[in-house]
Amino acid sequence: MSLLRQIGATGALRTLDHALAQSLRRLDPDTPDSVLAAAALASLAVASGHAGFDPADPGRLVDGAIDWPAPDAWQADLQASHWVTSPDAGDVESAADAPLVYEHGLLYLRRYREYERRLAAGLRRIGASAPDATGIDTLAPLFVQLFPQAADNEDRQARAAATALRHHLLLVTGGPGTGKTTTTARLLVLLVAHALHAGQPAPRIALAAPTGRAAERMAESVRHAVQALTAQGIDLALLAALPTAGTTLHRLLGTIPDSATFRHHADNPLPFDVVVVDEASMIDLPLIVKLVEAVADGARLVLLGDPDQLPSVEAGDVLSGILRAAGDGAAIARDDAHALQSLLGPPRGDAGDTAPAFPGRHVHLQRGYRQSAALDLAPLATAVRDGDTATALSLLRAGQLQGVHFHEADADPLRSHRDHLLAHWTALADTTDPADALALAGRLRLLTAVREGPQGARSLNARIEAMLSGSGAAGGNARRGSGANLGAYFHGRLLLVTENSYRHRLFNGDIGICLTDDSGTVMAWFPGDDARNPRPFHPATLPAHDSAFAMTVHKAQGSEFDEVWLVLPERFNRVLSRELVYTGMTRARRVLHVAGSAEVIADALARHAGRWSGLGWRLGGSGVVRAAS
């Protein structure tokens, strides 16, 4: 049996993957079977979140007893095929017109190779622009006021702010509560002060994130930071220049109805001097390329993110690729120290600049600042992040972490904790104000590892809707009737958008709620630019969507909920990883429930959510990122 047929027999390939291979066969019947199979796997790799396909490790994509070619022989077949371009050494600008590109050990669909190349070029362009650092020493009093611990060279928040004054491309990473947004607000104050001191207008600043909820969370954090700085006595004229609202990346770039292109691009750049983007781990490769190319020459780009979270749902593990090139910050510590010392006084010792290949700077924040009195999650999150199964299970079983509850081997929280969960969802049916309903909806969420199966989001949502209908809650009060009478769009139903609609300005991951007015008309309400002014849509006009009482962890990225139930599958699934468990757990603000077996948790923590990517080496870092186990 041919290699392509063996792979097809596993059921792993999609119709689109088969179609690509068959198209190449029709155009050239002499195309080797190994090349056809590789083309199908390169297509499947993109659908699985990778930038390309690694022929040295095909088992990462397809399970089963398959007679895989030897890597060297497979590579030789690919390099000899006219369907495959193999660029010479160096990141050449064009990979000709072949549909496939074999480069640095990865086989790409040509479009995705170009995305990687364009992203690397765009980041180098932004990072190569040197800001005018004249007069930054005059900011010393303000700097010390903003960062009272700045004299401590280990204060990474101060280091990040000082570095932002000297570089146009900055990455600020850290786990939940490490102060990424607070640091950003303070460094923006410094940028405003520097501009005004130089007699220039305050910089135009944009706050953005991949999802509307993440953008609102970011803006809310900045508003809180401004309130704290006001109380601290920071000049109100400086604080007035900071933005008070955030936006999605799609809205920032300017969606065009019925088009995948945006209004802002290289030839029509964004009208901002500073672009700050939160939740960078969620951004897929095609979108971040369009963002980077739309950043104007001479503008700053600040990327915030948690490198331990899951990568984007779509293709590309962009944040990890950039960080692999940027390093952990140790290699540029002397440069950071120089930036800090220039604000605090004469240099102490050797503070000479270094010249890393990566065009920007990276500061990783480690100190935890957001420790809820109701939720002691930090020790557990650290153990999960590090893959320390013994410690994680010990902490869960001990039951001594405030707000953390372990329901070991409980595969069905909807049965074991029915009354508690149902009370929250029935409360939604008693809410008539859309803004209040959306706020209430965010208080509790079931998060799952998978979409299908008994513990999958789809099955749980179906059961929850049946529970609500049976309890009468789905229909709310008498004037709204019963859930059955209202059909699929009942009062209180939560909706999750699953595809982008530029016409409606609704995007994958947006969450809304169905409410019925006094006339019996059901409308779906989604957050607007202002949290108090959500937008109504008739359900028939919505893009593809699912229920959102239960969501996959992937879909919940960028969101937080007061109470999270992380429901793991009964048996191991290849989507499980320590990043998935970590991401799910850290969505909780006050209460975390973990439902699953010790065996499945151990299997998950033993695996990384690795992605194949060549972005790191394109930016001057190490070689191709392999999909790690």
Side-chain angles (χ1 to χ4, degrees), residues 350-377:
D350 180 10
D353 290 340
T354 61
F358 179 69
R361 291 295 186 269
H362 169 217
V363 179
H364 184 69
L365 305 181
Q366 295 176 319
R367 189 185 309 168
Y369 290 87
R370 189 183 70 224
Q371 180 64 66
S372 168
L375 180 61
D376 182 17
L377 187 59

Side-chain angles (χ1 to χ4, degrees), residues 428 465 468 474 487-495 512-515 545-549:
L428 295 177
E465 291 180 5
L468 291 172
Y489 299 102
F490 56 81
H491 184 82
R493 183 191 177 191
L494 294 178
L495 299 179
I513 187 167
C514 291
L515 296 177
H545 55 276
D546 288 325
S547 290
F549 300 102

Side-chain angles (χ1 to χ4, degrees), residues 314-341:
E314 307 298 334
D317 188 359
V318 174
L319 182 61
S320 291
I322 297 174
L323 293 180
R324 186 163 276 100
D328 62 3
I332 57 173
R334 290 192 305 162
D335 181 69
D336 291 335
H338 179 67
L340 202 55
Q341 290 163 9

Side-chain angles (χ1 to χ4, degrees), residues 91-106:
D91 197 24
V92 297
E93 183 169 339
S94 174
D97 293 326
L100 302 168
V101 180
Y102 185 74
E103 186 176 24
H104 223 77
L106 289 184

Side-chain angles (χ1 to χ4, degrees), residues 6-75:
Q6 288 183 65
I7 299 170
T10 67
L13 295 180
R14 305 167 302 154
T15 301
L16 184 62
D17 309 326
H18 274 294
L20 174 60
Q22 296 306 327
S23 294
L24 300 183
R25 188 199 301 275
R26 282 194 301 273
L27 292 169
D28 182 359
D30 294 328
T31 301
D33 180 61
S34 61
V35 174
L36 297 176
L41 291 172
S43 176
L44 177 63
V46 169
S48 302
H50 305 281
F53 162 61
D54 185 359
D57 194 13
R60 292 289 177 203
L61 281 183
V62 181
D63 291 325
I66 295 175
D67 186 17
W68 297 111
D72 290 346
W74 209 348
Q75 175 182 339

